[in-house]
Amino acid sequence: MKVSIYRYNPETDREPYMKDYELDTGGQDLMVLDVITRIKEQDPTLSFRRSCREGVCGSDGMNINGKNTLACVTPLSEVAPGVREGKKPLIIRPLPGLPVVRDLVVDMTMFYDQYEKVKPWLQNDRPKPAKERLQSPEDRAELDGLYECILCACCSSACPSFWWNPEKFLGPAALLQSYRFLADSRDEATEERLAEMDDPFSLFRCRGIMNCVAVCPKGLNPTRAIGHIRSMLVQEGV
Amino acid sequence: MVTSATSLGRNGLYDWLMQRLTAVLLGLYTLGMLGFFLFCPDPDYQSWSGLMGALPMQVVNTLVLLSIAAHGWVGLWTVATDYLTTRHMGGPATAVRLVVEVLIALALLVYVLWGLVMIWGGA
Ligand code: SF4
Ligand code: SF4
Ligand code: FES
């Protein structure tokens, strides 16, 4: 099969280019990460990130035939019809909207800065209980669909509002995390958290395009979380 | 918290609500106008000026005019801050954006004043 990969080494290349590789997969339905690993055996200069190879660490987010996803949990048959059979090329690019460090490795600083801005930790100034702060099973259930995020950045780097205003708009991943703490019965900083977000950019730049929902490899729904925060803001502000 | 000098309410919630409320009003008004033309297929000057000259309609038209201005401003301000940025066009972006925003504001102001004259000026 033909594999076309984005290559860029800022030290030697004037500009990025696509490099084509041939790989015999024997018709197997390999994960895209396995394909890239085999190509790296052919060409050791190819750079990419990966660690867990099972959709847990979030380090191999990349753009595969136009869609952001984790290479390690994406079989060829799911990329597009004909890719596994070798009738169509596999096209791999780095996550869009983030500066390229080299080949498929992007600089995630902007993404982590947004994450930091939402203060992603529990804030609670009440005296510490002897053992731990307990939650009822119902309160705990509020966090389902929020805590599973692995910060792979597939969603934010698929979001046009993130591309245009990454310094001002928080992006779907950070907003999902913000709601993860707003929804937590043990967190007491609700007002402060909301007050940080009622400007025209931080949250309200979301246009409900739902690219984030379409790509999240963990099946999470940042748009819904953003909607919940917006309702909280409306309730506070009206 | 991101602050922006040129946003109308300087508050995203306010802008967002404004955009929704004015959209509802403009939508209803459009339906009403469609209704008028459907049920009065041959509108002459008499029926038209009878409709538009009535006080309730003058009030509605004023609200609609202000809604168009508010809706247009929030929407176009958003477009300007998305696309007329240093990210897209480098150094001159801020100056360009400011000029475009002033032009938009001026155009909307002229529309509102001109519209008010039409609505309340009598004819
Ligand atoms: S729904 Fe909002 S956050 Fe998600 S991709 Fe669209 S604009 Fe971005
Ligand atoms: S919400 Fe999904 S796509 Fe976004 S960072 Fe978390 S796991 Fe990745
Ligand atoms: S390698 Fe860890 S998520 Fe893919």
Side-chain angles (χ1 to χ4, degrees):
Chain A
M1 65 183 292
K2 191 176 131 195
V3 187
S4 187
I5 303 186
Y6 176 103
R7 300 297 310 269
Y8 181 53
N9 177 349
E11 280 163 23
T12 54
D13 301 333
R14 288 256 303 289
E15 48 187 37
Y17 59 100
M18 298 300 288
K19 185 163 178 186
D20 291 342
Y21 298 90
E22 269 302 325
L23 187 77
D24 183 11
T25 57
Q28 271 181 295
D29 197 11
L30 296 175
M31 293 295 175
V32 174
L33 181 63
D34 295 325
V35 172
I36 305 174
T37 312
R38 290 193 191 181
I39 288 175
K40 192 172 168 74
E41 287 166 12
Q42 285 180 25
D43 178 357
T45 64
L46 175 65
S47 300
F48 56 95
R49 287 194 185 106
R50 61 106 185 81
S51 176
C52 70
R53 52 112 189 95
E54 54 185 2
V56 177
C57 70
S59 47
D60 64 342
M62 52 187 76
N63 186 282
I64 302 173
N65 287 48
K67 190 179 172 192
N68 293 353
T69 189
L70 297 172
C72 61
V73 290
T74 306
L76 289 173
S77 57
E78 266 176 29
V79 173
V83 169
R84 175 186 170 186
E85 296 77 14
K87 288 184 204 135
K88 261 195 199 159
L90 177 67
I91 305 165
I92 302 175
R93 297 170 191 270
L95 289 176
L98 293 167
V100 174
V101 175
R102 182 173 166 161
D103 298 341
L104 303 176
V105 177
V106 290
D107 179 353
M108 306 262 282
T109 310
M110 283 196 294
F111 180 77
Y112 294 133
D113 283 349
Q114 297 170 333
Y115 182 51
E116 193 183 346
K117 274 193 213 156
V118 304
K119 307 207 169 84
W121 56 82
L122 269 185
Q123 298 182 45
N124 188 329
D125 288 333
R126 269 179 293 176
K128 281 199 189 92
K131 253 187 156 170
E132 54 195 324
R133 297 190 203 276
L134 295 175
Q135 275 191 304
S136 69
E138 292 76 33
D139 284 342
R140 167 60 189 77
E142 291 292 320
L143 308 183
D144 287 341
L146 304 170
Y147 79 91
E148 299 94 327
C149 171
I150 56 174
L151 298 174
C152 64
C154 286
C155 56
S156 292
S157 62
C159 170
S161 287
F162 170 93
W163 299 337
W164 308 152
N165 284 296
E167 298 89 357
K168 296 177 177 169
F169 176 53
L170 290 168
L175 287 166
L176 184 91
Q177 284 317 295
S178 175
Y179 186 61
R180 182 246 169 274
F181 288 97
L182 284 167
D184 195 309
S185 60
R186 298 161 298 181
D187 189 273
E188 296 191 316
T190 304
E191 267 176 44
E192 294 85 331
R193 291 182 189 281
L194 290 178
E196 280 295 304
M197 287 189 286
D198 76 351
D199 62 89
F201 284 98
S202 304
L203 174 131
F204 285 101
R205 239 343 112 109
C206 167
R207 309 272 171 68
I209 304 158
M210 292 179 89
N211 279 5
C212 51
V213 183
V215 300
C216 176
K218 306 300 277 183
L220 308 180
N221 190 330
T223 310
R224 193 192 303 142
I226 294 168
H228 284 309
I229 304 179
R230 204 159 37 211
S231 319
M232 292 174 91
L233 280 166
V234 171
Q235 268 164 21
E236 284 254 311
V238 177
Chain B
M1 174 71 82
V2 181
T3 49
S4 14
T6 53
S7 99
L8 189 61
R10 299 209 181 179
N11 173 300
L13 176 62
Y14 176 87
D15 283 3
W16 185 82
L17 278 174
M18 199 58 151
Q19 199 75 333
R20 265 83 205 151
L21 282 175
T22 52
V24 170
L25 190 67
L26 294 176
L28 289 176
Y29 188 78
T30 310
L31 287 180
M33 277 295 130
L34 267 174
F36 174 77
F37 286 113
L38 274 182
F39 293 107
C40 183
D42 190 21
D44 52 9
Y45 180 76
Q46 222 75 48
S47 57
W48 183 250
S49 81
L51 174 74
M52 289 298 165
L55 182 66
M57 204 55 197
Q58 285 175 304
V59 173
V60 169
N61 280 335
T62 307
L63 284 177
V64 165
L65 185 64
L66 295 177
S67 293
I68 291 176
H71 195 91
W73 173 254
V74 175
L76 292 173
W77 179 81
T78 307
V79 174
T81 50
D82 261 359
Y83 294 102
L84 304 178
T85 60
T86 22
R87 189 163 297 274
H88 286 287
M89 49 196 298
T94 309
V96 171
R97 191 167 69 244
L98 199 64
V99 169
V100 169
E101 284 170 354
V102 168
L103 289 178
I104 294 170
L106 272 180
L108 291 173
L109 190 71
V110 169
Y111 284 147
V112 168
L113 293 178
W114 191 10
L116 287 177
V117 170
M118 278 191 242
I119 297 169
W120 296 100

PDB file of all heavy atoms in Angstrom, chain A residues 159-161 169 171-172 205-212 223 226, ligand 1:
ATOM      1  N   CYS A 159     -10.672  22.392  15.735  1.00  0.00           N
ATOM      2  CA  CYS A 159     -11.679  23.426  15.948  1.00  0.00           C
ATOM      3  C   CYS A 159     -11.260  24.753  15.309  1.00  0.00           C
ATOM      4  O   CYS A 159     -10.237  25.319  15.670  1.00  0.00           O
ATOM      5  CB  CYS A 159     -11.873  23.617  17.450  1.00  0.00           C
ATOM      6  SG  CYS A 159     -12.877  25.043  17.864  1.00  0.00           S
ATOM      7  N   PRO A 160     -12.031  25.256  14.334  1.00  0.00           N
ATOM      8  CA  PRO A 160     -11.671  26.516  13.679  1.00  0.00           C
ATOM      9  C   PRO A 160     -11.504  27.670  14.672  1.00  0.00           C
ATOM     10  O   PRO A 160     -10.614  28.505  14.509  1.00  0.00           O
ATOM     11  CB  PRO A 160     -12.847  26.780  12.739  1.00  0.00           C
ATOM     12  CG  PRO A 160     -13.448  25.444  12.499  1.00  0.00           C
ATOM     13  CD  PRO A 160     -13.240  24.658  13.763  1.00  0.00           C
ATOM     14  N   SER A 161     -12.337  27.729  15.700  1.00  0.00           N
ATOM     15  CA  SER A 161     -12.196  28.817  16.665  1.00  0.00           C
ATOM     16  C   SER A 161     -10.854  28.726  17.396  1.00  0.00           C
ATOM     17  O   SER A 161     -10.260  29.738  17.753  1.00  0.00           O
ATOM     18  CB  SER A 161     -13.350  28.781  17.667  1.00  0.00           C
ATOM     19  OG  SER A 161     -14.532  29.217  17.043  1.00  0.00           O
ATOM     20  N   PHE A 169      -9.437  31.993  22.924  1.00  0.00           N
ATOM     21  CA  PHE A 169     -10.448  30.943  23.088  1.00  0.00           C
ATOM     22  C   PHE A 169      -9.786  29.764  23.799  1.00  0.00           C
ATOM     23  O   PHE A 169      -8.641  29.440  23.523  1.00  0.00           O
ATOM     24  CB  PHE A 169     -10.958  30.531  21.702  1.00  0.00           C
ATOM     25  CG  PHE A 169     -11.945  29.389  21.708  1.00  0.00           C
ATOM     26  CD1 PHE A 169     -13.081  29.441  22.497  1.00  0.00           C
ATOM     27  CD2 PHE A 169     -11.736  28.274  20.905  1.00  0.00           C
ATOM     28  CE1 PHE A 169     -13.995  28.389  22.491  1.00  0.00           C
ATOM     29  CE2 PHE A 169     -12.642  27.219  20.891  1.00  0.00           C
ATOM     30  CZ  PHE A 169     -13.769  27.273  21.686  1.00  0.00           C
ATOM     31  N   GLY A 171     -10.709  26.574  23.800  1.00  0.00           N
ATOM     32  CA  GLY A 171     -10.700  25.322  23.047  1.00  0.00           C
ATOM     33  C   GLY A 171     -11.492  24.231  23.760  1.00  0.00           C
ATOM     34  O   GLY A 171     -11.653  24.261  24.976  1.00  0.00           O
ATOM     35  N   PRO A 172     -11.992  23.253  22.980  1.00  0.00           N
ATOM     36  CA  PRO A 172     -12.885  22.237  23.537  1.00  0.00           C
ATOM     37  C   PRO A 172     -12.267  21.408  24.667  1.00  0.00           C
ATOM     38  O   PRO A 172     -12.965  21.102  25.640  1.00  0.00           O
ATOM     39  CB  PRO A 172     -13.245  21.366  22.335  1.00  0.00           C
ATOM     40  CG  PRO A 172     -12.330  21.759  21.240  1.00  0.00           C
ATOM     41  CD  PRO A 172     -11.858  23.139  21.510  1.00  0.00           C
ATOM     42  N   ARG A 205     -16.490  31.948  22.025  1.00  0.00           N
ATOM     43  CA  ARG A 205     -16.030  31.791  20.643  1.00  0.00           C
ATOM     44  C   ARG A 205     -16.450  30.444  20.067  1.00  0.00           C
ATOM     45  O   ARG A 205     -16.314  30.195  18.876  1.00  0.00           O
ATOM     46  CB  ARG A 205     -14.509  31.918  20.578  1.00  0.00           C
ATOM     47  CG  ARG A 205     -13.898  33.013  19.703  1.00  0.00           C
ATOM     48  CD  ARG A 205     -14.785  33.612  18.709  1.00  0.00           C
ATOM     49  NE  ARG A 205     -15.103  35.003  18.990  1.00  0.00           N
ATOM     50  CZ  ARG A 205     -14.661  36.036  18.294  1.00  0.00           C
ATOM     51  NH1 ARG A 205     -13.891  35.848  17.259  1.00  0.00           N
ATOM     52  NH2 ARG A 205     -15.017  37.244  18.614  1.00  0.00           N
ATOM     53  N   CYS A 206     -16.918  29.551  20.920  1.00  0.00           N
ATOM     54  CA  CYS A 206     -17.434  28.272  20.409  1.00  0.00           C
ATOM     55  C   CYS A 206     -18.673  28.540  19.595  1.00  0.00           C
ATOM     56  O   CYS A 206     -19.596  29.190  20.056  1.00  0.00           O
ATOM     57  CB  CYS A 206     -17.746  27.312  21.546  1.00  0.00           C
ATOM     58  SG  CYS A 206     -18.714  25.888  20.998  1.00  0.00           S
ATOM     59  N   ARG A 207     -18.690  28.033  18.348  1.00  0.00           N
ATOM     60  CA  ARG A 207     -19.844  28.251  17.471  1.00  0.00           C
ATOM     61  C   ARG A 207     -20.676  26.991  17.311  1.00  0.00           C
ATOM     62  O   ARG A 207     -21.492  26.906  16.402  1.00  0.00           O
ATOM     63  CB  ARG A 207     -19.367  28.664  16.079  1.00  0.00           C
ATOM     64  CG  ARG A 207     -18.397  29.772  16.062  1.00  0.00           C
ATOM     65  CD  ARG A 207     -19.151  31.100  16.006  1.00  0.00           C
ATOM     66  NE  ARG A 207     -18.207  32.169  16.212  1.00  0.00           N
ATOM     67  CZ  ARG A 207     -17.267  32.482  15.334  1.00  0.00           C
ATOM     68  NH1 ARG A 207     -17.160  31.817  14.218  1.00  0.00           N
ATOM     69  NH2 ARG A 207     -16.442  33.459  15.585  1.00  0.00           N
ATOM     70  N   GLY A 208     -20.389  25.997  18.132  1.00  0.00           N
ATOM     71  CA  GLY A 208     -21.164  24.762  18.009  1.00  0.00           C
ATOM     72  C   GLY A 208     -20.951  24.042  16.695  1.00  0.00           C
ATOM     73  O   GLY A 208     -21.861  23.398  16.178  1.00  0.00           O
ATOM     74  N   ILE A 209     -19.753  24.147  16.130  1.00  0.00           N
ATOM     75  CA  ILE A 209     -19.451  23.481  14.855  1.00  0.00           C
ATOM     76  C   ILE A 209     -19.380  21.969  15.063  1.00  0.00           C
ATOM     77  O   ILE A 209     -19.593  21.177  14.158  1.00  0.00           O
ATOM     78  CB  ILE A 209     -18.124  24.017  14.286  1.00  0.00           C
ATOM     79  CG1 ILE A 209     -18.182  25.525  14.140  1.00  0.00           C
ATOM     80  CG2 ILE A 209     -17.782  23.381  12.961  1.00  0.00           C
ATOM     81  CD1 ILE A 209     -16.834  26.193  14.090  1.00  0.00           C
ATOM     82  N   MET A 210     -19.027  21.582  16.277  1.00  0.00           N
ATOM     83  CA  MET A 210     -18.981  20.176  16.691  1.00  0.00           C
ATOM     84  C   MET A 210     -17.918  19.330  16.006  1.00  0.00           C
ATOM     85  O   MET A 210     -18.014  18.096  16.009  1.00  0.00           O
ATOM     86  CB  MET A 210     -20.353  19.514  16.558  1.00  0.00           C
ATOM     87  CG  MET A 210     -21.345  20.084  17.564  1.00  0.00           C
ATOM     88  SD  MET A 210     -22.964  19.388  17.440  1.00  0.00           S
ATOM     89  CE  MET A 210     -22.810  18.001  18.544  1.00  0.00           C
ATOM     90  N   ASN A 211     -16.891  19.949  15.441  1.00  0.00           N
ATOM     91  CA  ASN A 211     -15.746  19.171  14.963  1.00  0.00           C
ATOM     92  C   ASN A 211     -15.148  18.376  16.111  1.00  0.00           C
ATOM     93  O   ASN A 211     -14.670  17.262  15.931  1.00  0.00           O
ATOM     94  CB  ASN A 211     -14.653  20.099  14.417  1.00  0.00           C
ATOM     95  CG  ASN A 211     -14.941  20.554  13.015  1.00  0.00           C
ATOM     96  OD1 ASN A 211     -15.994  20.267  12.471  1.00  0.00           O
ATOM     97  ND2 ASN A 211     -13.997  21.283  12.426  1.00  0.00           N
ATOM     98  N   CYS A 212     -15.158  18.986  17.303  1.00  0.00           N
ATOM     99  CA  CYS A 212     -14.551  18.346  18.466  1.00  0.00           C
ATOM    100  C   CYS A 212     -15.240  17.026  18.768  1.00  0.00           C
ATOM    101  O   CYS A 212     -14.585  16.014  19.046  1.00  0.00           O
ATOM    102  CB  CYS A 212     -14.627  19.275  19.677  1.00  0.00           C
ATOM    103  SG  CYS A 212     -16.274  19.950  19.996  1.00  0.00           S
ATOM    104  N   THR A 223     -18.818  19.734  23.124  1.00  0.00           N
ATOM    105  CA  THR A 223     -19.868  20.710  22.826  1.00  0.00           C
ATOM    106  C   THR A 223     -20.948  20.686  23.908  1.00  0.00           C
ATOM    107  O   THR A 223     -21.455  21.732  24.320  1.00  0.00           O
ATOM    108  CB  THR A 223     -20.508  20.438  21.461  1.00  0.00           C
ATOM    109  OG1 THR A 223     -19.474  20.294  20.489  1.00  0.00           O
ATOM    110  CG2 THR A 223     -21.415  21.576  21.044  1.00  0.00           C
ATOM    111  N   ILE A 226     -19.654  22.413  26.956  1.00  0.00           N
ATOM    112  CA  ILE A 226     -19.664  23.860  26.734  1.00  0.00           C
ATOM    113  C   ILE A 226     -21.085  24.394  26.913  1.00  0.00           C
ATOM    114  O   ILE A 226     -21.298  25.441  27.531  1.00  0.00           O
ATOM    115  CB  ILE A 226     -19.108  24.192  25.328  1.00  0.00           C
ATOM    116  CG1 ILE A 226     -17.618  23.825  25.261  1.00  0.00           C
ATOM    117  CG2 ILE A 226     -19.316  25.658  24.973  1.00  0.00           C
ATOM    118  CD1 ILE A 226     -17.026  23.825  23.862  1.00  0.00           C
TER     119      ILE A 226
HETATM  120  S1  SF4 C   1     -18.299  22.831  19.023  1.00  0.00           S
HETATM  121 FE1  SF4 C   1     -17.161  24.604  19.727  1.00  0.00          FE
HETATM  122  S2  SF4 C   1     -15.341  23.795  20.646  1.00  0.00           S
HETATM  123 FE2  SF4 C   1     -16.228  22.133  19.404  1.00  0.00          FE
HETATM  124  S3  SF4 C   1     -15.186  22.295  17.423  1.00  0.00           S
HETATM  125 FE3  SF4 C   1     -17.007  23.522  17.344  1.00  0.00          FE
HETATM  126  S4  SF4 C   1     -16.446  25.610  17.866  1.00  0.00           S
HETATM  127 FE4  SF4 C   1     -14.825  24.206  18.520  1.00  0.00          FE
END
